[in-house]
Amino acid sequence: MFTIKGKTTDWEVVIGLETHIEVLSNSKIFSGASADYNPTVAPNTQACMVDVAMPGMLPVLNKYCVEQAIKFGLGINAEISKHSRFARKQYFYPDLPQGYQISQPINEPPVVGRGWIEIIGDDGNPKKILIERAHLEQDAGKLKHDMHPTKSFADYNRTGVTLLEIVAFVDLEKPDEKQFVTSPDEAEKYLRQIREIARALGVSKANMEEGSMRADVNVSVRPVGAKYFNERCEIKNMVSFKFIKNAIEYEAKRQIEILENGGTIERNTMRYNQGDGTTSILRSKEDALDYRYFPDPDLLELEITDEDIERIRKTMPELPSATRARYINEYGLSEYDATRLTETTDISHWYDTAVNGKKERAKPVANWLISELFAHPENMDITNEIREHTDPDAPRIITPENITELVDMIASNEINGKQAKEIFIKMLDGERGTIHEIADKHGMKQITDTGAIESAVDEVIKNNPAQVEQYKSGKVGLLGFFVGNVMKATHGQANPAMVSDLLKQKLAD
Ligand code: ADP
Ligand code: MG
């Protein structure tokens, strides 16, 4: 468990994330303007009359965006509300021409209700993180203050782009059921999982660097084992995993210091200062905004039928959670292995390609991936960019087909595990070719010819009379010694299982 040492007690951290993802769709949530917002587009060329709130303009809900929200909801095991509404969240700021943001009311069920996702917790076990809700809303525009000494400029291209806000659930009634994020690392894992689900479903690019994913981070602290929650602070608008982790740690320590000095935590809104890694107060409780939510009279109530939900469910690809269940139930993998292999869809696709439906490959391929390849991610083509290999010194990309071949050659006794490992290392060192080619080139072939193995076994027994004596008088642990010597004598090429069997037979005589 992640704890922070205090003066008199250890403290644990309670974290509730509000994550915004930008929904992928051609047009915006309430207008027909292009939603392909990106920084290279000239300012205000993708903002229409609705977006800049010209009088008399009416919003029309984009059905596709609603479907995207439902898809995501199904992806996080959530209840989908049959009825939900849109409301005006009032605040005045020049990036918001309407004078309000259309969102979904906080005191009513939004389109996506309670759900959960699973991460690997700090203790190495799978951990459920509850989600309270996910609602649809509009994004605001962007202000530019660095273009003129005395003027600010507004770009409304992003205004009205669809956001889905996913609010994690800290159940205040169940202070000892820790189905929420409790450490900086878990916060990162939670966000990565949200990102994976969004990407797997095509709901969002969910890319923090590009701004299509950002998070507000609520942090509170309590003494380890406490059966209550303390007041929280919310750190606004975080756009990098590293900053989020730093901010949580700093903020938690700040609160601990206040509490240890007899103070109380006020529910403040904080900003994170990238320069020095500190958090500081952006708005205090007294300045808290009153958004005066009220239902938007220009928009109809959103109604979703069971048929809608089923139709959308049918279009969904297999999600990380289902993939995980398949690995456990059909392939017999451990929960740990299954979770590691479904951390990203790139990895699970890679794994599925290598296994290619052959159950007998499932475990060995998982082992190669988790214990060997994960240590050399630069050799795996599972990152976003597909690397070109014109550079002869570039690391060799190991393909799923390579591992299939490796695993199959071991299974068919063409090479043994030790040789496979050597071939693997040669590939990491840049050697090109199929596994068969590399094995042939280095004369690696497993000796499965009983006669050849037998003579090596006899030789080893003859040369080590003292050890034979000890073995026969009960020191059976020496078997490894004999196997090792036979393997050495055969230059590592003998089939170790056959060696061991033959040795046992002969030494029993
Ligand atoms: P607000 O409108 O103030 O942002 P929300 O309900 O939208 O409040 O979200 C607040 C977030 O903080 C949720 O994820 C919630 O689960 C979480 N949260 C609530 N209480 C605590 C607490 N004591 N410590 C940490 N997080 C909390
Ligand atoms: Mg909030």
Side-chain angles (χ1 to χ4, degrees):
M1 192 174 76
F2 176 84
T3 56
I4 296 176
K5 223 172 185 40
K7 274 193 228 143
T8 52
T9 173
D10 286 353
W11 298 81
E12 56 185 42
V13 190
V14 176
I15 301 159
L17 293 121
E18 298 166 78
T19 313
H20 292 85
I21 56 175
E22 189 180 304
V23 173
L24 272 175
S25 92
N26 290 332
S27 52
K28 296 179 179 179
I29 184 167
F30 299 120
S31 82
S34 169
D36 183 20
Y37 159 79
N38 74 63
T40 61
V41 172
N44 296 312
T45 54
Q46 288 183 177
C48 71
M49 298 290 198
V50 176
D51 303 330
V52 296
M54 283 297 162
M57 294 293 116
L58 290 175
V60 177
L61 179 60
N62 181 336
K63 190 175 163 194
Y64 181 74
C65 293
V66 175
E67 295 184 349
Q68 292 283 66
I70 295 173
K71 231 194 272 178
F72 186 83
L74 296 173
I76 58 165
N77 315 290
E79 300 159 26
I80 305 298
S81 311
K82 299 285 169 53
H83 303 278
S84 66
R85 295 200 286 181
F86 287 94
R88 295 180 175 181
K89 182 177 176 182
Q90 326 270 341
Y91 69 94
F92 182 74
Y93 203 66
D95 66 1
L96 189 72
Q98 290 165 157
Y100 55 82
Q101 176 194 33
I102 306 179
S103 180
Q104 296 201 278
I106 31 170
N107 51 355
E108 290 178 14
V111 55
V112 176
R114 292 256 170 101
W116 54 268
I117 62 170
E118 200 157 69
I119 60 167
I120 297 273
D122 283 341
D123 61 1
N125 294 318
K127 176 175 177 183
K128 238 183 207 178
I129 306 291
L130 301 183
I131 289 168
E132 187 177 343
R133 53 188 270 144
H135 60 259
L136 282 165
E137 60 187 28
Q138 323 171 273
D139 206 348
K142 192 171 178 164
L143 299 179
K144 294 187 178 166
H145 304 292
D146 57 358
M147 293 169 61
H148 190 276
T150 57
K151 290 179 182 155
S152 284
F153 290 80
D155 175 5
Y156 295 121
N157 280 347
R158 202 172 69 185
T159 310
V161 166
T162 313
L163 296 180
L164 188 65
E165 175 172 346
I166 305 138
V167 183
F169 189 32
V170 174
D171 190 345
L172 300 181
E173 268 147 39
K174 294 180 182 162
D176 39 6
E177 261 177 44
K178 290 186 193 156
Q179 294 186 311
F180 46 79
V181 168
T182 53
S183 78
D185 284 344
E186 287 187 0
E188 174 168 0
K189 287 185 189 148
Y190 169 84
L191 290 167
R192 286 189 185 279
Q193 192 60 28
I194 295 270
R195 185 170 83 175
E196 273 317 308
I197 294 169
R199 287 181 180 175
L201 295 174
V203 168
S204 174
K205 289 189 200 158
N207 185 321
M208 284 207 174
E209 297 84 69
E210 289 173 7
S212 53
M213 177 168 181
R214 28 190 209 270
D216 301 336
V217 187
N218 294 269
V219 178
S220 68
V221 294
R222 57 182 183 177
V224 169
K227 303 251 182 291
Y228 58 86
F229 291 108
N230 276 322
E231 188 55 277
R232 64 184 153 101
C233 286
E234 176 177 4
I235 316 160
K236 277 281 183 200
N237 253 322
M238 304 294 295
V239 290
S240 105
F241 293 124
K242 191 172 137 237
F243 293 157
I244 288 172
K245 296 206 286 187
N246 289 346
I248 291 172
E249 188 143 359
Y250 183 87
E251 175 60 19
K253 287 181 178 157
R254 187 188 72 87
Q255 294 182 16
I256 291 167
E257 194 175 318
I258 294 175
L259 292 169
E260 290 196 330
N261 289 318
T264 48
I265 305 298
E266 300 273 328
R267 187 181 299 186
N268 293 324
T269 302
M270 313 297 290
R271 81 157 67 80
Y272 176 69
N273 309 302
Q274 294 181 10
D276 58 4
T278 61
T279 57
S280 55
I281 296 175
L282 182 70
R283 283 194 294 272
S284 68
K285 206 173 177 179
E286 294 80 63
D287 306 325
L289 300 175
D290 175 6
Y291 294 119
R292 294 178 295 122
Y293 279 91
F294 74 82
D296 192 308
D298 292 338
L299 286 161
L300 294 172
E301 192 166 306
L302 177 57
E303 294 207 19
I304 295 164
T305 62
D306 285 328
E307 291 76 53
D308 292 329
I309 297 173
E310 279 325 300
R311 178 175 50 77
I312 292 163
R313 198 192 296 278
K314 287 204 187 95
T315 67
M316 292 172 48
E318 187 181 66
L319 277 167
S321 54
T323 313
R324 221 179 126 251
R326 177 162 61 84
Y327 291 169
I328 295 170
N329 300 329
E330 289 178 27
Y331 288 166
L333 297 191
S334 67
E335 284 216 337
Y336 176 82
D337 285 359
T339 306
R340 291 291 317 265
L341 294 173
T342 51
E343 262 167 23
T344 75
T345 32
D346 285 348
I347 295 174
S348 61
H349 282 156
W350 202 104
Y351 175 72
D352 278 330
T353 310
V355 174
N356 199 10
K358 292 250 164 39
K359 198 177 164 195
E360 62 276 16
R361 284 186 195 137
K363 185 64 189 159
V365 171
N367 289 345
W368 277 98
L369 259 175
I370 294 170
S371 43
E372 304 294 342
L373 266 171
F374 282 0
H376 304 280
E378 69 282 3
N379 291 76
M380 285 184 81
D381 211 357
I382 53 167
T383 46
N384 287 332
E385 82 274 26
I386 307 282
R387 274 159 300 193
E388 286 293 329
H389 286 278
T390 41
D391 173 7
D393 295 329
R396 172 173 171 183
I397 292 300
I398 295 177
T399 64
E401 291 75 17
N402 292 149
I403 297 297
T404 308
E405 200 183 346
L406 207 57
V407 161
D408 287 356
M409 283 175 75
I410 301 172
S412 61
N413 285 326
E414 287 169 82
I415 51 173
N416 62 35
K418 191 164 163 284
Q419 292 166 325
K421 187 75 190 286
E422 277 168 33
I423 293 172
F424 181 76
I425 289 166
K426 289 186 190 301
M427 288 195 290
L428 292 184
D429 289 343
E431 190 147 341
R432 306 293 193 263
T434 64
I435 309 296
H436 276 97
E437 284 164 1
I438 298 174
D440 285 349
K441 186 170 154 205
H442 297 278
M444 285 187 218
K445 219 176 158 33
Q446 185 165 221
I447 303 173
T448 48
D449 163 21
T450 326
I453 294 179
E454 195 167 2
S455 56
V457 165
D458 290 341
E459 191 71 14
V460 167
I461 289 178
K462 195 180 93 201
N463 292 340
N464 296 284
Q467 282 82 355
V468 172
E469 214 37 59
Q470 288 175 333
Y471 181 92
K472 288 191 169 169
S473 62
K475 224 175 153 196
V476 289
L478 276 172
L479 185 67
F481 163 83
F482 293 112
V483 173
N485 275 295
V486 176
M487 292 306 289
K488 217 184 276 166
T490 58
H491 307 288
Q493 300 196 344
N495 176 323
M498 289 176 69
V499 171
S500 161
D501 284 349
L502 257 177
L503 274 165
K504 276 190 218 154
Q505 262 179 42
K506 301 229 167 200
L507 289 167
D509 293 345

